[in-house]
């Protein structure tokens, strides 16, 4: 067998020599850092935290054998990454919260979202980005969670249908002696904004603590003042965080719509289906999606004392008890509670018996199937309104009971007075 060449024998030696030379000439990993970075701790705001760089540094032998990140495990990544994120987040938060300048038009420039303008837009119950999604409905109270009814809140009757507007207004004026502020056109609403209607009602002591002229049981009141309008979004902007709106409304099946004439002009002629969903979501053209349906459902479920046409008498009676309205001829005392309810029910029934009820359709007909397909979202809103009405049997309770549950009852005050004596 011929001997191997010397060249082939020397190759691994040359390779090894080259590797050894490269190791000797390569700087150690520690030499890449300044001396002050070699310490085991970092001083930060008068306290020390471990220096993450020490876990990268190794001797020459460790560097070649085990690598520079042998102890760089998942726990350390999470630990030091979290510390860095918190430090950066605090810096950005401080920057976003820095007071910003206002433009001549009243817009706040450079503030963190949502932009709150000088006219009060985007104020309300929700924080941050939810304001821009649900505004202006954020200026309505949550009718269930925000109990008891605050004396500074303003009742608002939204009537989208003429067949609901006429009988309900008659009941409110006749049975409860209510004073109605009727804003039937958009021009009326604009004028109310110019005159600062809600603020003027507070000044005139029609809203707020000054409106309780007579001391009645558990905050009940006579002759309430109620704002009424078919324009829900525009009227919502009248309210403020100091005087928020509490809305009551009636919902009908789409086949039984009797839209207010001033609402018919709000949407274009081609918007012929799902009118209520379009109105509440403010999307007048194009396809509707889950977002628009969700906004409309939120208004019904959270912002509305919900009533339906076939249960109008029970609905109005519930509304009156919820707000603590004493009926005409009632006394508003603890002992007269049952008598007052009977007076109100009798008056409501007498008025409503002369008004027609709902219409019903054959759900098996081809016409109905086509109608349902075109107005599926509004049909869902109606079913939700009925479901909300049933749920509010338990959640929409009389004002006197709201006060008791909140510990604000007149009976509780008397107990405190006796205890002090």
């Amino acid at each position: 067998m011929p001997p191997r060449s010397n060249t082939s024998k020397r190759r691994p030696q040359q390779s090894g020599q080259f590797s050894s030379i490269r190791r000797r000439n390569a700087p150690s990993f520690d030499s890449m850092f300044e001396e002050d970075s070699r310490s085991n701790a970092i001083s930060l705001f008068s306290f020390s935290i471990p220096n993450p760089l020490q876990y990268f540094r190794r001797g020459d032998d460790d560097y070649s054998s085990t690598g520079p990140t042998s102890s760089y495990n998942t726990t350390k990544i999470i630990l030091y990454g979290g510390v860095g994120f918190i430090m950066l987040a605090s810096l950005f938060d401080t920057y976003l919260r820095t007071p910003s300048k206002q433009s001549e038009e009243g817009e706040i420039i450079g503030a963190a979202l949502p932009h709150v303008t000088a006219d009060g837009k985007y104020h309300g119950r929700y924080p941050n980005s939810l304001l821009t999604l649900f505004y202006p409905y954020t200026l309505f109270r949550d009718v269930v969670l925000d109990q008891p009814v605050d004396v500074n809140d303003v009742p608002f009757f939204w009537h989208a249908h003429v067949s609901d507007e006429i009988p309900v207004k008659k009941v409110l004026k006749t049975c409860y002696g209510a004073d109605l502020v009727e804003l039937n056109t958009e021009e009326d609403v604009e004028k109310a904004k110019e005159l600062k209607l809600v603020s003027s009602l507070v000044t005139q002591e029609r809203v707020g603590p000054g409106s309780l002229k007579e001391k009645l049981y558990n905050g009940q009141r006579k002759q309430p003042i109620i704002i009424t309008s078919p324009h829900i979004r525009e009227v919502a902007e009248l309210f403020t965080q100091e005087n928020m709106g509490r809305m009551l409304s009636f919902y009908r099946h789409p086949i039984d719509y009797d839209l207010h004439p001033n609402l018919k002009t709000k949407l274009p002629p081609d918007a012929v289906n799902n009118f209520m969903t379009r109105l509440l979501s403010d999307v007048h053209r194009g396809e509707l999606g889950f977002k628009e349906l969700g906004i409309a459902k939120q208004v019904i479920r959270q912002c509305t004392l919900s009533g339906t046409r076939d249960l109008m008498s029970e609905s109005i009676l519930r509304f009156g008890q919820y707000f603590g309205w004493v009926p005409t001829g009632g006394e508003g005392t603890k002992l007269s509670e049952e008598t007052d309810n009977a007076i109100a029910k009798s008056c409501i029934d007498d008025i409503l018996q002369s008004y027609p009820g709902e219409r019903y359709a054959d759900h098996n007909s081809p016409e109905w199937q086509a109608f349902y397909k075109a107005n599926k979202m509004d049909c869902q809103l109606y079913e939700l309104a009925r479901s909300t009405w049933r749920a509010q049997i338990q959640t929409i309770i009389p004002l006197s009971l709201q006060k008791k549950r909140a510990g604000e009852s007149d009976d509780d005050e008397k107990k405190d007075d006796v205890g002090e004596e």
Side-chain angles (χ1 to χ4, degrees), residues 161-191:
H161 308 285
V162 177
S163 300
D164 298 332
E165 173 192 9
I166 296 174
V168 174
K169 282 184 176 181
K170 186 172 183 180
V171 168
L172 293 176
K173 289 188 289 186
T174 305
C175 301
Y176 292 101
D179 293 326
L180 306 183
V181 180
E182 302 184 47
L183 306 176
N184 290 321
T185 66
E186 292 188 75
E187 290 74 16
D188 293 338
V189 179
E190 289 301 320
K191 186 175 181 180

Side-chain angles (χ1 to χ4, degrees), residues 43-63:
S43 178
L44 179 67
F45 302 120
S46 73
F47 63 89
S48 298
I49 61 175
N51 188 348
L53 298 180
Q54 65 178 316
Y55 294 101
F56 288 98
R57 295 198 298 271
R58 292 289 182 273
D60 289 347
D61 293 337
D62 292 339
Y63 181 77

Side-chain angles (χ1 to χ4, degrees), residues 91-308:
L91 293 175
F92 279 104
D93 184 68
T94 303
Y95 170 76
L96 291 173
R97 292 176 182 273
T98 302
S100 53
K101 298 180 180 180
Q102 286 191 340
S103 65
E104 296 179 357
E105 293 79 10
E107 297 283 347
I108 294 182
I109 303 173
L113 289 176
H115 294 297
V116 182
T117 55
D119 60 5
K121 282 191 174 183
Y122 303 133
H123 287 174
R125 291 178 287 111
Y126 294 140
N128 304 328
S129 60
L130 287 177
L131 281 173
T132 58
L133 178 61
F134 292 115
Y135 182 84
Y137 306 123
T138 51
L139 291 169
F140 289 127
R141 288 285 191 189
D142 186 314
V143 295
V144 175
L145 297 182
D146 294 336
Q147 293 185 28
V149 175
D150 193 277
V151 69
N152 295 301
D153 294 343
V154 185
F156 168 55
F157 170 41
W158 175 47
H159 50 82
H161 308 285
V162 177
S163 300
D164 298 332
E165 173 192 9
I166 296 174
V168 174
K169 282 184 176 181
K170 186 172 183 180
V171 168
L172 293 176
K173 289 188 289 186
T174 305
C175 301
Y176 292 101
D179 293 326
L180 306 183
V181 180
E182 302 184 47
L183 306 176
N184 290 321
T185 66
E186 292 188 75
E187 290 74 16
D188 293 338
V189 179
E190 289 301 320
K191 186 175 181 180
K193 289 180 180 179
E194 295 174 4
L195 297 176
K196 297 182 178 180
L197 173 64
V198 174
S199 298
S200 65
L201 293 177
V202 175
T203 303
Q204 298 169 17
E205 295 188 339
R206 297 307 311 274
V207 173
S211 62
L212 300 178
K213 307 293 185 183
E214 185 179 353
K215 179 65 176 178
L216 301 176
Y217 181 63
N218 277 355
Q220 296 180 86
R221 65 173 66 230
K222 295 181 179 180
Q223 296 181 325
I225 190 162
I226 305 170
I227 296 177
T228 73
S229 178
H231 306 289
I232 180 173
R233 297 183 65 90
E234 293 79 3
V235 170
E237 294 185 344
L238 293 174
F239 303 115
T240 66
Q241 289 179 293
E242 292 75 25
N243 300 103
M244 300 186 76
R246 283 192 187 259
M247 183 170 67
L248 57 106
S249 185
F250 287 84
Y251 296 93
R252 288 172 168 258
H253 194 283
I255 204 169
D256 198 34
Y257 278 179
D258 180 22
L259 293 173
H260 196 283
N262 292 335
L263 286 180
K264 294 180 180 179
T265 60
K266 293 180 71 70
L267 299 184
D270 56 331
V272 295
N273 62 341
N274 296 306
F275 184 91
M276 197 62 62
T277 306
R278 293 184 182 278
L279 182 67
L280 292 175
S281 65
D282 202 31
V283 176
H284 297 176
R285 295 180 180 274
E287 295 293 328
L288 296 173
F290 287 112
K291 176 183 175 182
E292 291 74 29
L293 180 61
I295 293 174
K297 285 184 174 181
Q298 183 81 353
V299 175
I300 296 175
R301 181 172 49 240
Q302 190 175 70
C303 304
T304 310
L305 295 170
S306 182
T308 59

Side-chain angles (χ1 to χ4, degrees), residues 176 220 315-326 398-399:
Y176 292 101
Q220 296 180 86
S315 301
I316 298 176
L317 182 62
R318 181 189 297 173
F319 300 162
Q321 294 172 345
Y322 174 84
F323 282 104
W325 297 336
V326 178
L399 179 62

